[in-house]
Amino acid sequence: MVQILWNKKENQAVALDEEKVIGICEFIEEKDTWNIIHTEVDENYRGQKIAKRLVMKVIEEAKNEKKKVIADCSYAQKILES
């Protein structure tokens, strides 16, 4: 089962399959805004909505900290626009 973990210290959400890192969503904190710069999922796990779960985790945590979210990452841009 794939777990999505929050790693604020490293400014990222991480997807794990047991102990194996299979995906990551990274952001840069700029004052009151978080800019999602990169989302990636291992090719063997694509098509399972893991990237969407990673982006949604960053958005959720940003809301908790009252931060605005923008995205240079094209995938995250699509999620934010929907």
Side-chain angles (χ1 to χ4, degrees):
M1 181 175 156
V2 175
Q3 290 183 301
I4 305 298
L5 302 178
W6 180 240
N7 185 346
K8 174 65 169 90
K9 183 178 176 186
E10 299 292 326
N11 288 354
Q12 61 189 9
V14 180
L16 295 176
D17 184 1
E18 295 184 19
E19 302 282 321
K20 180 181 177 186
V21 175
I22 59 162
I24 190 168
C25 181
E26 301 174 300
F27 68 94
I28 297 171
E29 189 167 359
E30 303 164 332
K31 297 183 184 176
D32 64 342
T33 303
W34 290 1
N35 182 2
I36 299 174
I37 57 168
H38 181 75
T39 307
E40 183 176 354
V41 174
D42 183 299
E43 64 185 28
N44 296 317
Y45 291 85
R46 292 189 182 152
Q48 299 178 41
K49 300 188 190 264
I50 295 168
K52 183 174 185 174
R53 290 174 58 199
L54 287 165
V55 171
M56 294 306 293
K57 183 64 175 174
V58 173
I59 292 169
E60 173 190 331
E61 295 295 335
K63 285 181 182 178
N64 290 342
E65 294 198 26
K66 297 178 177 33
K67 303 290 184 178
K68 179 182 170 189
V69 179
I70 61 172
D72 284 344
C73 167
S74 60
Y75 179 80
Q77 283 175 354
K78 291 175 190 172
I79 300 294
L80 289 171
E81 291 169 0
S82 63

